[in-house]
Amino acid sequence: MSEAPSPSRALMRPAATVLENQEVARGTFRLRIADPEIARRILPGQFVMVRAAAEGTDDPLLGRPFALYDVQHDSSGKPTSFEVVYLVIGRGTDSLSRRRPGDRVDVWGPLGNGFGPSPGPGSALFVAGGIGQTPFLALGRDWLGKATYGDPSDSGRATTVSSATLLYGVRSAGLLAGVEDFERAGIGVEIATDDGSAGRHGFVTQLLADRFEAGDRPAKVVACGPPPMLAGVARLTQAHGVACDVSLENHMACGFGACFSCVTPILQDDGRPDLRRVCVEGPVFPADRVDWSRPSH
Ligand SMILES: Cc1cc2nc3c(=O)[nH]c(=O)nc-3n(C[C@H](O)[C@H](O)[C@H](O)COP(=O)(O)OP(=O)(O)OC[C@H]3O[C@@H](n4cnc5c(N)ncnc54)[C@H](O)[C@@H]3O)c2cc1C
Ligand code: FES
């Protein structure tokens, strides 16, 4: 597992400025926040907590976690802002979707362990279900050697992957968000929809099964999405002997290890499950360490 950065390194931003908050697909928004320091430090697979309380209120009280989508730079190459992409689900994301450029939101991060270095020199497959594609734009750029995230002095450059492909499943075509961003970054995209309105008719796990059937052996599979999809990906990769990490999306209250609202059973070296905080020890875990028989993720 990648080593988690110390929570004390997370930056608290009680009034970060919203630069953009644009609907990019049905109920799906891309939010850009000005913060050069978070933008400079954050790594693919890490996340930030964002809280958008209505003017003059504390509602909602808790922040909501969102994965890094991408980082923007000025003309001299200095990081200036970062983006997350979110689907409106309930109160927190609905409130966030009402923020306009110039509004302020509370942000804390970077949080969590991130995906770690490229498994190069083979290929990488990213499997996303629903809004699970969001961590893979930055990850693909990083592993393909097209962008650098975080402090370059923290790690040497790993061998890049030869190719990266996103297998992207959504319920219906209107929910597809950011396909052009991935293609522009040199990440191949294959789509599956539950209703057949775009790409392959069926679940995204079928795209992965087809690749294995055809003899594809990626250096690594990384998955993010609903737990049943993750469990399916874990089963398939294990059956074909391919390394797989998953990024879990448990409910979180604090995001930095203090409240234990996000714990999930993780199998230890002796095969027994022990509870781990997804916000600190995760959100990225080896798929074969997640206890898929228990319903807390
Ligand atoms: C590390 C991490 C990264 C994430 N990255 C993204 C991202 O990039 N984009 C994105 O859109 N979302 C992401 N999520 C999920 C996102 O945080 C939730 O969708 C959000 O917190 C919902 O908040 P809400 O106030 O709108 O919904 P709430 O009002 O809190 O919940 C509405 C309903 O949805 C259910 N629900 C809410 N969150 C979850 C969850 N995580 N799992 C299962 N059911 C849930 C609740 O039980 C409730 O029924 C991430 C989560 C984690 C842990
Ligand atoms: S969200 Fe508080 S400990 Fe993980």
Side-chain angles (χ1 to χ4, degrees):
M1 260 173 254
S2 322
E3 194 181 324
S6 148
S8 62
R9 291 187 64 198
L11 301 163
M12 310 299 286
R13 301 297 199 228
T17 304
V18 171
L19 297 176
E20 265 182 52
N21 193 21
Q22 220 185 355
E23 190 162 16
V24 291
R26 195 165 75 219
T28 309
F29 290 75
R30 197 179 64 218
L31 171 71
R32 184 177 295 183
I33 293 175
D35 195 304
E37 194 53 21
I38 292 181
R40 187 179 73 76
R41 290 194 198 179
I42 195 163
L43 300 169
Q46 288 192 305
F47 64 97
V48 291
M49 298 289 286
V50 183
R51 192 176 78 103
E55 189 80 22
T57 75
D58 263 341
D59 184 36
L61 187 62
L62 302 172
R64 302 293 193 265
F66 302 104
L68 170 69
Y69 187 65
D70 207 10
V71 165
Q72 291 70 49
H73 302 82
D74 66 15
S75 54
S76 70
K78 278 202 197 121
T80 52
S81 58
F82 65 90
E83 286 178 347
V84 299
V85 169
Y86 64 93
L87 180 67
V88 174
I89 300 272
R91 275 200 8 247
T93 45
D94 180 59
S95 172
L96 194 52
S97 71
R98 295 166 202 280
R99 300 304 111 184
R100 297 288 166 261
D103 286 354
R104 303 298 178 119
V105 290
D106 303 333
V107 177
W108 54 108
L111 299 161
N113 57 356
F115 290 113
S118 152
S123 62
L125 274 187
F126 307 141
V127 188
I131 194 68
Q133 86 285 13
T134 58
F136 296 137
L137 181 66
L139 183 64
R141 285 194 210 279
D142 184 24
W143 283 7
L144 287 166
K146 297 190 172 188
T148 307
Y149 296 86
D151 188 341
S153 65
D154 279 354
S155 61
R157 293 296 296 156
T159 312
T160 57
V161 291
S162 52
S163 68
T165 306
L166 172 69
L167 309 183
Y168 184 12
V170 287
R171 275 179 285 125
S172 189
L175 290 165
L176 289 166
V179 171
E180 320 72 42
D181 295 341
F182 286 90
E183 288 171 344
R184 267 198 301 272
I187 302 165
V189 181
E190 288 177 30
I191 291 167
T193 49
D194 297 3
D195 66 0
S197 51
R200 164 111 183 212
H201 190 177
F203 291 153
V204 69
T205 40
Q206 194 54 51
L207 295 178
L208 181 64
D210 289 352
R211 283 196 160 237
F212 285 148
E213 250 346 82
D216 190 3
R217 287 294 174 273
K220 192 166 224 177
V221 169
V222 190
C224 183
M229 182 211 95
L230 295 183
V233 171
R235 266 195 308 275
L236 278 168
T237 49
Q238 206 157 11
H240 290 88
V242 173
C244 177
D245 283 347
V246 293
S247 186
L248 301 182
E249 295 201 330
N250 289 38
H251 288 270
M252 291 184 179
C254 73
F256 51 77
C259 71
F260 287 73
S261 65
C262 63
V263 293
T264 203
I266 295 294
L267 302 174
Q268 303 303 298
D269 289 343
D270 63 5
R272 291 184 196 192
D274 198 12
L275 294 178
R276 289 289 178 267
R277 293 163 301 178
V278 171
C279 67
V280 175
E281 283 91 13
V284 181
F285 294 95
D288 58 5
R289 288 298 182 117
V290 177
D291 187 354
W292 299 108
S293 65
R294 291 165 201 252
S296 72
H297 38 71

